[in-house]
Amino acid sequence: MPTASTPPISAQDALARLREGNQRFVLNARNMENPLGRSARQALVAGQSPFAIILSCSDSRAPSEYIFDQGLGDLFVIRVAGNVVAPSLVGSVEFAAAKFGTRLAVVMGHSHCGAIQATLDYVREGKSEASENIRDIVERCLEPVTTVVSAAGPKADWEFLMKEAVRANIRNSCDTLRHGSRLLERLCREEGMRIVGAEYSLETGAVDFFNGV
């Protein structure tokens, strides 16, 4: 169980730990030793030392702690619809990396993402959203989704577009983190930090790490 004094692990070891946890989740073989109870809460009152940062979608079907079979204090989770990147979200990743020494950040999207569907509806049919704040999310997904639609052509299958757009959006968020922060750029260049993209399958429960691995 991590505590305030636990030294950070490397990005490679953190990624391996996430892979192992996701495999347990897929097999429905949860680690019963994960810190979740009262003693775990008390041990973490003084501080935390998360081994990975997860920037993921807010979708209720994709909670990172379950997907990676981790306990209290293990993950620094940032959730936002469409796993988009805005200044406050970059700042949240920076905070965990600088404060806790966490050296792995994962941007995790998922299949059947509502934010991506809304963006595709906007790009292909001009459908607008209910509020300016929802439109802001769509606009942050717009560039990668538009690129996918343009490349696929007007006869492209919807399922193909969804899958490609989800992944393009993940790659875009990863690139924004890698190149939109001087602090994260330095940590990646000098201190072994890695920013990795991943897609969670609602159908299988498996996470595919495919960008920056």
Side-chain angles (χ1 to χ4, degrees), residues 24 28-37 69:
R24 291 194 300 272
N28 197 28
R30 185 167 66 89
N31 182 2
M32 301 306 292
E33 296 182 2
N34 274 338
L36 295 171
D69 189 32

Side-chain angles (χ1 to χ4, degrees), residues 116-207:
I116 298 303
Q117 181 175 341
T119 308
L120 278 171
D121 286 340
Y122 175 78
V123 172
R124 297 185 78 189
E125 303 173 23
K127 291 182 180 179
S128 61
E129 293 304 318
S131 77
E132 60 184 20
N133 296 308
I134 299 176
R135 284 196 298 274
D136 181 74
I137 295 171
V138 169
E139 287 172 1
R140 294 183 186 279
C141 302
L142 198 56
E143 182 178 350
V145 172
T146 300
T147 299
V148 165
V149 172
S150 297
K155 297 182 180 180
D157 176 75
W158 175 262
E159 291 299 323
F160 171 81
L161 288 176
M162 273 293 296
K163 184 171 182 59
E164 292 299 308
V166 163
R167 294 210 162 201
N169 186 59
I170 294 166
R171 288 191 292 267
N172 184 65
S173 291
C174 287
D175 287 343
T176 302
L177 285 180
R178 292 181 187 122
H179 306 297
S181 161
R182 288 193 296 271
L183 173 60
L184 296 180
E185 279 190 343
R186 181 182 65 78
L187 292 176
C188 289
R189 184 176 63 250
E190 300 176 5
E191 299 190 24
M193 185 167 184
R194 291 170 68 182
I195 297 170
V196 172
E199 181 183 359
Y200 170 63
S201 169
L202 295 179
E203 294 85 351
T204 68
V207 175

Side-chain angles (χ1 to χ4, degrees), residues 6-148:
T6 303
I9 66 175
S10 70
Q12 180 177 348
D13 289 344
L15 185 58
R17 189 166 165 184
L18 291 180
R19 289 184 189 274
E20 291 166 3
N22 179 242
Q23 183 66 14
R24 291 194 300 272
F25 175 74
V26 170
L27 297 174
N28 197 28
R30 185 167 66 89
N31 182 2
M32 301 306 292
E33 296 182 2
N34 274 338
L36 295 171
R38 179 183 300 176
S39 61
R41 295 197 304 270
Q42 292 174 343
L44 289 164
V45 168
Q48 58 179 307
S49 184
F51 74 85
I53 303 161
I54 313 290
L55 172 59
S56 67
C57 184
S58 299
D59 194 294
S60 63
R61 300 166 292 179
S64 297
E65 291 87 349
Y66 286 102
I67 290 168
F68 294 114
D69 189 32
Q70 301 300 320
L72 296 175
D74 289 329
L75 303 177
F76 190 91
V77 180
I78 307 155
R79 301 189 71 176
V80 58
N83 42 273
V84 299
V85 177
S88 60
L89 303 170
V90 176
S92 296
V93 175
E94 290 176 332
F95 175 78
K99 179 73 172 179
F100 310 125
T102 311
R103 288 298 173 260
L104 176 68
V106 177
V107 176
M108 185 174 72
H110 63 91
S111 59
H112 306 289
C113 177
I116 298 303
Q117 181 175 341
T119 308
L120 278 171
D121 286 340
Y122 175 78
V123 172
R124 297 185 78 189
E125 303 173 23
K127 291 182 180 179
S128 61
E129 293 304 318
S131 77
E132 60 184 20
N133 296 308
I134 299 176
R135 284 196 298 274
D136 181 74
I137 295 171
V138 169
E139 287 172 1
R140 294 183 186 279
C141 302
L142 198 56
E143 182 178 350
V145 172
T146 300
T147 299
V148 165

